[in-house]
Amino acid sequence: MAALLTACVAFQLNASMLSPALVTMGEELQTDQASIGLSQTWFFTTAALFSLFLPRLSDVVGRKRILVGMMLLTAVGSVIAALAPDVTWLFVGRIVQGVSGPTVPLCLIMLRTAVANPKSYGAMMGVILAVNGGVAGVDSFLGGYMAEHYGFRSIFWLMVVLAVIAAVLVAVLTDESKPQAGTAMDWRGVFFIVVAVGAMLTALNEAAKLVGAFSTGTLLLSLVLIAVAAAAFLAFWRTEKHAKQPMVEIVHLRQRSTWAPLLTTVLTMTGIFAVINGIVPAYVQAAAPGFGIGPTETALLILTPYALLGWVFGPISGRLAPTFGYNKVLRIGLLGSIAALAIIVFFGLDNLPLMVTGTVLLGIMYAGTANIMLNGLGVVLSPPGNPGFLPGMNAGAFNLGAGLSFLVLPAVLVGTSALGDRGSYLTVVTVGLVITIAAFAASLLIPKPVDAEVEK
């Protein structure tokens, strides 16, 4: 647990610690915020792509070996970014750091191999996934402090230190496991699924630009990328049907234990992610019709309690899952998230304390419950003969849902501007609420992970 938690913290700092330092990075590298933001986009995109196949590769060549390699490459990427003379080298560093993308699912797979008791595994899973949601808000605060006092490069040097420590701890404290040793890696299938998901994520990033300013060129590029994604996925499907040792067996793709959790993940992320990470903070900071509070107050009232409560409740929901049922805990989390969004829609837009109440409930029910269960189900529902398959696909579903969320919800916000500021915000959160209700409906199709649950 010490080794796996250190690896997860090292990854999480890559994902969240730079957010408050983006302005400082632009100033020190003498570039615009759009370029700095693009470096973040490429980190998350490459993280999603590596997540698709590294868990499967770890089944073949060894999970400890892959995780140690991931941490060392993350350190290399951090060194490149820390020494970057310009934004181009920052891009290179962030792309290399993206290899850390499947850290959390890989840690969960290793944990399940090492811990046979479902109750113990559930509790430890909750701890790991709580860290994945943010280090209790400390990561963002520390990132802002270090950028302000020591420059953004100090953040990357901290990442170097933690990644190296994680690599050493994983090498020394964990056992090797490679259940598919001797199996040939289906690199042709890897190529097509990476192209499919990469093209789709890039299409979503490009389409999101249309929300602010319509461009025929951007629209055409988005449509071309969507077509490429569809063609690549079709090629992936055909490749897997005929491969002797496929990356994914088609029979698994057709099973509810595969597509139902993936669909639930995409819908949940689409409905909630941009609401808590973009829509609500923008609303409370707006002078009208919002509450006109500053960025620091927004963090203290909205974002930090949300992250902190997710961090606290993650281990609790993880511990409940094996005895109460993974699906039951997931549905409680989704119903609670629906209630939280309803509070924001019907009461929070006119009352700051009730807005805070809604986001606090989201922290408990989404970040600390539903999000934990969706990650956990990706591991416990994965087929025994291919344990790395579903966690990797689920990681891609999380990223796809996040991309869709920041495409669909801002587009609704802009498209309903004729209703006035309050009317457009009310509409966009209502759309998020409806999508989350659809996620709850999809969750009813997820089969029970019998092997991961025990009697009370």
Side-chain angles (χ1 to χ4, degrees):
M1 276 298 287
L4 299 181
L5 276 174
T6 306
C8 288
V9 170
F11 162 73
Q12 184 57 37
L13 295 189
N14 278 273
S16 60
M17 199 171 181
L18 290 175
S19 296
L22 297 180
V23 173
T24 303
M25 292 169 68
E27 293 171 351
E28 293 188 27
L29 291 173
Q30 298 180 342
T31 189
D32 56 81
Q33 283 302 299
S35 298
I36 296 297
L38 194 56
S39 71
Q40 292 289 86
T41 299
W42 274 106
F43 167 76
F44 287 108
T45 300
T46 53
L49 299 182
F50 279 113
S51 297
L52 293 172
F53 66 92
L54 282 183
R56 169 60 177 165
L57 182 61
S58 74
D59 290 343
V60 177
V61 304
R63 292 161 178 166
K64 179 165 81 169
R65 179 184 297 178
I66 291 293
L67 186 55
V68 169
M70 285 164 50
M71 291 296 102
L72 292 177
L73 280 173
T74 301
V76 170
S78 301
V79 170
I80 293 172
L83 298 175
D86 53 41
V87 72
T88 300
W89 280 102
L90 176 67
F91 267 67
V92 173
R94 291 297 275 162
I95 288 171
V96 174
Q97 283 181 314
V99 76
S100 64
T103 298
V104 173
L106 190 52
C107 286
L108 291 181
I109 296 169
M110 293 174 68
L111 183 67
R112 196 173 189 218
T113 301
V115 181
N117 185 294
K119 293 182 180 180
S120 299
Y121 170 75
M124 295 177 186
M125 174 195 75
V127 173
I128 285 178
L129 290 173
V131 170
N132 181 226
V135 191
V138 175
D139 44 354
S140 295
F141 172 79
L142 184 59
Y145 179 86
M146 292 179 68
E148 182 179 351
H149 291 86
Y150 306 107
F152 82 89
R153 299 177 193 276
S154 63
I155 300 174
F156 284 110
W157 287 119
L158 177 61
M159 292 177 182
V160 173
V161 173
L162 279 173
V164 171
I165 291 174
V168 172
L169 290 180
V170 171
V172 173
L173 299 179
T174 66
D175 297 324
E176 185 61 281
S177 58
K178 40 184 172 180
Q180 301 297 306
T183 302
M185 189 68 181
D186 176 22
W187 289 110
R188 188 179 179 188
V190 169
F191 172 78
F192 285 125
I193 193 63
V194 165
V195 170
V197 175
M200 182 57 70
L201 290 174
T202 306
L204 291 175
N205 292 332
E206 290 299 315
K209 298 176 184 177
L210 297 171
V211 176
F214 180 81
S215 166
T216 303
T218 301
L219 176 61
L220 287 174
L221 177 59
S222 300
L223 293 175
V224 169
L225 287 169
I226 291 172
V228 170
F233 185 78
L234 180 60
F236 170 74
W237 187 279
R238 290 179 175 175
T239 298
E240 300 309 280
K241 283 181 70 174
H242 299 102
K244 291 182 179 180
Q245 294 180 320
M247 176 184 170
V248 182
E249 293 185 25
I250 296 300
V251 65
H252 292 153
L253 290 175
R254 292 190 175 120
Q255 291 173 344
R256 279 195 299 128
S257 57
T258 296
W259 60 261
L262 294 179
L263 177 62
T264 306
T265 296
V266 170
L267 289 173
T268 302
M269 291 293 287
T270 303
I272 298 175
F273 193 73
V275 171
I276 189 62
N277 289 290
I279 304 297
V280 166
Y283 183 85
V284 299
Q285 291 181 65
F291 307 108
I293 66 176
T296 302
E297 291 86 349
T298 300
L300 290 175
L301 290 174
I302 303 293
L303 299 176
T304 299
Y306 165 83
L308 180 60
L309 287 166
W311 190 70
V312 169
F313 277 86
I316 296 173
S317 60
R319 179 62 183 83
L320 287 174
T323 52
F324 195 65
Y326 278 79
N327 287 336
K328 287 182 181 177
V329 177
L330 169 63
R331 289 161 194 161
I332 288 171
L334 288 173
L335 286 173
S337 300
I338 290 168
L341 291 172
I343 290 172
I344 293 172
V345 169
F346 296 113
F347 307 106
L349 296 179
D350 299 313
N351 187 298
L352 182 57
L354 287 175
M355 175 68 84
V356 172
T357 300
T359 55
V360 162
L361 187 58
L362 267 184
I364 297 170
M365 291 296 176
Y366 165 67
T369 306
N371 199 33
I372 304 295
M373 292 301 101
L374 288 170
N375 273 287
L377 283 166
V379 176
V380 297
L381 286 175
S382 204
N386 191 350
F389 145 66
L390 190 54
M393 297 291 283
N394 204 34
F398 272 100
N399 284 278
L400 182 61
L404 280 171
S405 191
F406 270 103
L407 171 63
V408 173
L409 297 187
V412 171
L413 189 66
V414 173
T416 57
S417 57
L419 300 174
D421 288 341
R422 189 186 183 283
S424 60
Y425 275 101
L426 180 113
T427 303
V428 73
V429 182
T430 301
V431 169
L433 172 62
V434 171
I435 295 173
T436 308
I437 292 172
F440 175 79
S443 75
L444 299 176
L445 300 172
I446 301 175
K448 181 179 180 179
V450 179
D451 295 341
E453 297 180 2
V454 295
E455 295 296 327
K456 296 181 182 179

